Amino acid sequence: MTDIATLQNQILSAIETADTPDALESVRIDALGKQGSVSALLKTLGQMSPEERQVQGPVINGLREAVTNGIAAKKATLETAILNQRLATERLDMTLPAPEAPRGTVHPVSQVMDELAEIFADMGFAVAEGPEIEDDWHNFSALNIPETHPARAMHDTFYFPDKDAEGRSMLLRTHTSPVQIRTMTSQEPPIRIIAPGRVYRSDSDATHTPMFHQIEGLVIDKGIHLGHLKWTLETFLRAYFERDDVVLRLRPSYFPFTEPSVEVDVGYSVVKGKRVIGGSEGWMEVLGSGMVHRRVIEACGLDPDVWQGFAFGTGVDRLAMLKYGMDDLRAFFDGDNRWLQHYGFNALDVPTLSGGVGA
Ligand code: PHE
């Protein structure tokens, strides 16, 4: 047997006994690597005479081919074996129950907004929206709060450093009242809308957070008066608190955009040391409201001698606290799953008037 035939037998039997991809790889390096035995033989071809090369060339190349093929075949066999082994061990039983994953709930603020939309839809109110990044004119000026007005300072406004293209200061809306303006300037009266959404004020303690939620109401029509306002608020609060003994107290107040302005208190009774809405043992302020100021109607391009209306605004978070008994507003925005498990709602608890808005 020639030396080459012996070498080939050695390498092929080494391939045969290699039982892991790593062992096979080291056989490959020993034979075909830079310093490998087959590579060394291939290098000798260069020094041979043409006659010698004619004889040795096919022999040495044949060796290289046999080794290359042997390695490729063994590699395929090893990989198939590994795959089969994994398929046999890594089985998934698709019929097993999935592990418990943390599950969210519907946030009380979302739930209350849905309850309010349901209550007001029944009275013929549509839901309107406006941007949270507002300009000065919609948030203040058009609402009869000129630049020098002290009410601007009252709002602890977050302003943006740059003005918009028309030179208006930009800000995070401090209330939902700019949606009154956006609705009156884009829609023909009669108007009946509510506008729930986020508002921002630079304020923070147990009952104030820099971002909170309000809901605005606006009615514009002919011959609207305070009686309509009172009936609407009474109907709304009775439906919301789900009690017929909800008593309202209207107090004269001041907002630049309403005239007259009324603040609305709701009566409560004390049951086992806790305040419960209903009765009139004490009073809690829940709403700001009033008849829309002539100047606001004018600013929106409507004739105040033809169109009148009322508006109201209230804190959604506060309404949620009063109905569902949370006492720290900050927890609303902590995103603590334990709090949400306690106070949150099931996604299927859709509030309906027939089923009870309280879900
Ligand atoms: N925008 C007022 C506030 O944020 C509430 C309000 C709305 C009062 C509409 C009157 C009419 O306090």
Side-chain angles (χ1 to χ4, degrees), residues 175 177 180 201 214 216 255 257-258 288-289 311-313:
H175 51 178
S177 300
Q180 290 186 34
R201 291 182 200 178
Q214 282 192 338
E216 193 82 6
F255 297 103
F257 34 93
T258 46
S289 66
F312 57 87

Side-chain angles (χ1 to χ4, degrees), residues 168-233:
R168 290 172 180 170
S169 298
M170 300 302 286
L171 45 85
L172 292 176
R173 68 178 180 191
T174 57
H175 51 178
T176 42
S177 300
V179 186
Q180 290 186 34
I181 306 301
R182 293 199 173 264
T183 309
M184 278 189 269
T185 51
S186 65
Q187 217 164 290
E188 293 287 319
I191 290 168
R192 263 188 269 183
I193 56 112
I194 53 164
R198 295 191 181 100
V199 300
Y200 302 83
R201 291 182 200 178
S202 178
D203 205 353
S204 187
D205 59 38
T207 53
H208 297 89
T209 48
M211 187 279 287
F212 58 105
H213 301 85
Q214 282 192 338
I215 185 163
E216 193 82 6
L218 175 70
V219 168
I220 299 286
D221 207 333
K222 290 176 179 165
I224 299 293
H225 54 71
L226 264 182
H228 296 120
L229 169 63
K230 187 171 186 223
W231 179 87
T232 305
L233 295 180

Side-chain angles (χ1 to χ4, degrees), residues 22-70:
D22 282 348
L24 184 64
E25 178 63 6
S26 78
V27 175
R28 189 192 66 79
I29 291 170
D30 286 347
L32 301 172
K34 261 193 189 155
Q35 320 285 332
S37 48
V38 177
S39 308
L41 281 171
L42 283 166
K43 275 180 216 156
T44 61
L45 288 173
Q47 278 98 55
M48 288 179 193
S49 65
E51 297 75 26
E52 232 182 332
R53 194 179 303 131
Q54 219 164 30
V55 181
Q56 290 299 318
V59 178
I60 297 175
N61 276 313
L63 165 69
R64 193 200 55 193
E65 218 176 291
V67 170
T68 308
N69 292 343

